[in-house]
Amino acid sequence: MRNLAICSDNFHLSQAKILGSSPIELDSIPLLAGLLETPNIDFDPDLTENKHRVLVRKIAFSCNYRDKGFMLTAAPYLGDNRYYVIGSEFVGEVVAVGREVTNLAVGDRVIGNNQYPDSGIVGVVAGIPTNHGSKEYQVFHAVKLLKIPEQMPDEIAAGFSIGAQTTYSMIRKLNITPGANILVTAAKSNTSLFAIAALQKYNVNVYVTTTSKEFAQKFHDLGVKRVIPVDLNSEELISPVLAQEIQEEIPGFDCIIDPFFDLYLGRLMNTLVNGGRYITCGLYNQSASSNFEYRGSTITEIMTIAMINNIQIIGNCLGQTDDLANAIQDYIAGKLPVVIDSICSGDQISDFFTRTYHAKDRFGKVIYRYK
């Protein structure tokens, strides 16, 4: 079976064969990305330990920001006989099921179900089903998978589950009302693109911050009312002239959806109205190799603003099965446009990593599809 992995320049392992490779770089750290062939998985659906399990053959997969942190963490430990298989999201086809699996059948197409904080089954770990989603064949407990309808293409499904499940959970927790002014930060990030798309059915005014103002028209095409350019390295995140314009337009934001709290929480709290809600699902500084420098208010200042203005600060990790199911229904109904940047396959290994993590013109998910 095939796997997309990072490995050492001198990689050699009798149980693995390199089908193709390419040098890549993450945070100025040189790595070798390889498409590896490893032995197939033995799966006997009649064994008792497999009675609730499913064997899936991956069709396509994608990486998220979290994968970058995993790869950088693994990099120092990649000896000549070690490799790290990547991939957070996938779409696959069921090729075998345990004898007590009733909700899935051979031939079904599935994506990962990231239900959190509990999986719904005692003893089955909650959250993302795998950090190695590019493994061509993989065994999962049936509860960790969700069947997708035929109307959803493989390329959409391969980059859908985490972004959709997370944003639908965040929006559910915000209890948004019609006419609300919603700010989405880091607009070009995968999570934020899902949030922007998901908000369009709520009759709200969507504002976004971005360091990539050249994509303003693309954001407007997704229903954004105003694009707010920001400079993360400036003491003034938003130019005073633009900030004054926004203040004259609205009293403040009712809600902020933010995928990177260490970039924005300390700089945007004072833009929320009294009783506003701020929700975040992640942080930017996930690697010890980064040269990250925090800019913004202290925790004392942040909490003082929150108390005085009755602001709710909400943390969110992934979502419920219903959040993912609702997102799938909205996609099928044409209410959730999903942005795909590009599709790679075969020897386009460097292209996949470059567009996922370095391409300034990337807009949407980058998918790798097995031929």
Side-chain angles (χ1 to χ4, degrees):
M1 67 175 180
R2 291 169 287 187
N3 313 258
L4 193 57
I6 57 168
C7 46
S8 72
D9 287 335
N10 299 315
F11 176 75
H12 60 82
L13 189 66
S14 60
Q15 294 85 11
K17 174 184 177 183
I18 296 183
L19 301 176
S21 64
S22 177
I24 63 169
E25 195 172 90
L26 291 176
D27 285 359
S28 301
I29 297 176
L31 298 168
L32 183 70
L35 184 62
L36 309 181
E37 184 177 1
T38 59
N40 286 333
I41 291 176
D42 290 325
F43 179 79
D44 184 347
D46 293 322
L47 291 179
T48 301
E49 59 262 36
N50 290 331
K51 62 183 179 180
H52 296 298
R53 295 178 178 176
V54 177
L55 176 62
V56 176
R57 178 184 65 83
K58 310 296 178 47
I59 300 169
F61 60 89
S62 64
C63 286
N64 291 319
Y65 190 71
R66 63 192 297 275
D67 294 89
K68 181 180 179 181
F70 290 148
M71 286 186 279
L72 290 172
T73 300
Y77 305 99
L78 295 175
D80 294 349
N81 61 348
R82 301 188 70 181
Y83 58 94
Y84 180 84
V85 179
I86 65 164
S88 285
E89 295 179 273
F90 63 87
V91 60
E93 180 183 3
V94 174
V95 294
V97 298
R99 58 176 182 255
E100 294 189 20
V101 174
T102 58
N103 61 325
L104 295 171
V106 173
D108 287 345
R109 287 186 311 136
V110 293
I111 58 177
N113 180 3
N114 314 284
Q115 177 160 304
Y116 189 87
D118 65 87
S119 68
I121 300 292
V122 175
V124 178
V125 177
I128 295 172
T130 179
N131 295 324
H132 315 292
S134 69
K135 286 185 176 183
E136 190 172 13
Y137 287 88
Q138 203 164 7
V139 178
F140 300 95
H141 192 286
V143 77
K144 303 300 295 180
L145 302 168
L146 199 63
K147 180 181 176 179
I148 58 172
E150 61 182 15
Q151 298 97 317
M152 178 177 277
D154 293 331
E155 290 77 12
I156 296 292
F160 189 86
S161 65
I162 294 177
Q165 202 160 14
T166 299
T167 56
Y168 271 59
S169 174
M170 288 196 288
I171 292 171
R172 169 172 52 81
K173 291 177 180 179
L174 287 173
N175 294 315
I176 290 171
T177 55
N181 297 308
I182 314 294
L183 177 66
V184 180
T185 67
K188 200 161 73 77
S189 72
N190 293 320
T191 300
S192 294
L193 285 174
F194 269 101
I196 293 165
L199 286 169
Q200 297 316 304
K201 71 174 188 177
Y202 285 89
N203 188 27
V204 294
N205 302 310
V206 179
Y207 295 73
V208 301
T209 65
T210 182
T211 58
S212 305
K213 61 183 180 181
E214 65 272 20
F215 291 95
Q217 187 56 53
K218 289 183 180 291
F219 294 129
H220 288 308
D221 291 344
L222 288 172
V224 169
K225 181 176 182 178
R226 182 188 274 270
V227 176
I228 305 171
V230 295
D231 183 353
L232 296 174
N233 297 315
S234 171
E235 291 303 317
E236 296 174 329
L237 182 68
I238 303 170
S239 75
V241 172
L242 181 54
Q244 181 63 36
E245 260 185 52
I246 298 169
Q247 287 174 355
E248 292 173 358
E249 183 177 309
I250 58 174
F253 299 110
D254 299 290
C255 302
I256 295 177
I257 298 175
D258 178 15
F260 302 121
F261 75 81
D262 48 349
L263 290 181
Y264 295 103
L265 174 62
R267 308 184 79 173
L268 291 174
M269 278 290 287
N270 59 359
T271 67
L272 283 162
V273 300
N274 195 297
R277 284 93 68 204
Y278 166 94
I279 192 164
T280 183
C281 62
L283 70 161
Y284 177 80
N285 187 29
Q286 296 187 26
S287 171
S289 66
S290 70
N291 296 316
F292 176 78
E293 180 184 351
Y294 174 78
R295 295 174 182 270
S297 302
T298 65
I299 185 64
T300 300
E301 293 167 334
I302 290 169
M303 292 309 299
T304 299
I305 293 171
M307 289 185 292
I308 291 173
N309 295 308
N310 295 297
I311 290 170
Q312 298 178 52
I313 300 175
I314 307 168
N316 183 88
C317 185
L318 301 168
Q320 300 295 307
T321 299
D322 283 349
D323 294 318
L324 182 55
N326 290 337
I328 292 172
Q329 290 175 0
D330 280 350
Y331 171 78
I332 298 303
K335 298 178 181 178
L336 180 65
V338 178
V339 183
I340 298 297
D341 173 84
S342 54
I343 301 165
C344 301
S345 64
D347 61 0
Q348 294 178 304
I349 299 169
S350 178
D351 293 343
F352 175 73
F353 282 97
T354 298
R355 288 217 63 79
T356 297
Y357 294 116
H358 299 305
K360 297 295 185 182
D361 62 336
R362 178 185 65 80
F363 195 78
K365 290 299 294 275
V366 181
I367 307 300
Y368 188 97
R369 183 182 179 107
Y370 283 130
K371 288 186 175 179

